[in-house]
Amino acid sequence: MLRPATAAVSPPASLQVLHWWTSASERKAANLLVAYAAADNVTWMDSAIPGGAGLAAVKVLRSLVLANDAPEVTQIIGASIGEWAELGMLLELDAPAQAGNWNAVLFPAIYKLVQHRQHVVAVPIGIHRINTLFYNRALFARLKLKPPKSWSEFEQIALKFNAEGIAALALSSEPWQVATLFENLLLASGGQQLHRELFVRMNAQALSDPRLTEALERLRLMKSWTKQPIAERNWTEVVQELANGEAAMLVMGDWAKGELNVTGLPTDGVFSCSAMPGTEKFNLYSVDTLTMFTKDYAHSPAQEKLARLLLTPAVQTGYNNVKGSVSVRRDADPARMDSCARASWTAFGLGASAQVPSLVHRMSVDEVARDAVIAEINHFFADDSVTPAQARQRLGAVFRALHLRRSDH
Ligand code: GAL
C-alpha cells in the first residue's frame, strides 16, 4: 500500500528533560529555556527533581537508566559527564558544536569539559562562581562596615555583628552547604595549589599542610557566626535570611544571587557581592551542563537542535541573567552583566591560573569521591569533639581508599 504523503514520519520533537532546578529562580531560568525550545518547535517536557545541588536528581537518574527509561536530556555535570560517556550512553554532539563554532566561542576550559575522547558530549549553559561572598548592604551601612578583604577583617566584622545580636553568617548544616563553605576556606588558606593537591589529586601527603588545619579551625569558628542552634535547612531559606537582614553575609555559590533577584532584590540594592576574602583572583567554579542520552537515536534531531539553541548569545544572556551564573561564551557582553556576574566572568576569562574546579559542585572528582569528602567535612563540622588531626586522618583513609579504587581500573 502506498503511504499517503502527509504521513511522512517526522522525528519526535518532544524531549524529557531531567534536572534539579526547582527554586523560584532556577524554575524561572528553566522556563526561559522551555520557551526558547518551544519557539524552535522542540517541546521540553520538564522533569524537575527537588534537592539543592542535585542530591536526589543524581540518584533518580541512575534508577531511570537501570529501568531503561533514561530521559532524552539530563543535567549531568563535571566529572560525571565522562563516566556516562564512557558507558556509551551519551549522544555525540559534534555536529551542533561544529555548526555553532563551539571551539572558538567557548572558553577553552569549558570546551575541554564538554568533550570526551575528542567528541563533544555535553552542552554547557552557565558558569557559577562558588567563591562569592554576599552581604546585606543595609546591615553593613548601619555598622559602617566595608566588605572584608582578608580573614582578619572577616573575623572582626563577624564579631561586630554577633555583638549586635545579628547572625554574621547565613548557613545551614546541610552537608553540601557546609562543604561549600569549607572549600572556600581551603582555597583562601591554601590557594589554588593546595586546593589542587587535596581536592583534585586527593594527595594524602598534602593533608599534613598546616593551611588545611587552619581552614578546618576557621570552619569550626564560623559555626558560632550563624543563627543558633544551626539546623539543616534548604538553601533558599538560608538565602532569605540574608535578604531579610537576619544574617549579614552568605557564602554558597552565586545561584543565591538568582534567588535574591527573583524575589525583587536587584544586585547592588539590598545586597551586593564581593569575592570570598583571600580568593579574589580565583574563580572557584561549577559549570551547569545538559547531556543527551542516545537510546535509539530517534530523538537526535531535536536533541541536536536544542544543543545548538542553548549556546546562542540570546539564550546565554537571558538564562544566565536569571540563574545567577555567567555565559560560557568568551564573546559575551560584560556591559549586560551586573557587578557580581562581571567579576565572575572576568575572573574565569583569566584562564587556568584563575580557574579552580569545585569539588563540592562536581568539577574535580567523581561522585563517589565527592560524597566521601563531603561526609568527612560534615562529620568534623557536626561533632565539635572531632579534632582537625582526626579529620585529617579520616580524610587520609578516604584518599587512600579512593586511590586504590582508581588503580583497580
Ligand atoms: C548546583 C548547580 C546550580 C544550582 C545549585 C543549587 O550544583 O550547579 O545550578 O542549582 O546546585 O541547587
Side-chain angles (χ1 to χ4, degrees), residues 1-45:
M1 201 174 86
L2 272 180
R3 222 167 48 182
T6 46
V9 193
S10 60
S14 139
L15 303 173
Q16 197 77 41
V17 187
L18 186 130
H19 58 84
W20 62 83
W21 298 320
T22 52
S23 78
S25 58
E26 290 173 334
R27 194 58 269 166
K28 191 175 168 194
N31 286 347
L32 207 120
L33 301 182
V34 175
Y36 269 109
D40 220 359
N41 281 324
V42 175
T43 310
W44 167 308
M45 316 250 291

Side-chain angles (χ1 to χ4, degrees), residues 20-21 26 52-53 75 77 128 176 235 255 286 288 323 361:
W20 62 83
W21 298 320
E26 290 173 334
Q75 184 181 9
I77 71 174
H128 277 295
W176 74 262
W235 69 269
W255 41 86
S286 181
D288 276 319
K323 185 67 169 62
H361 297 281

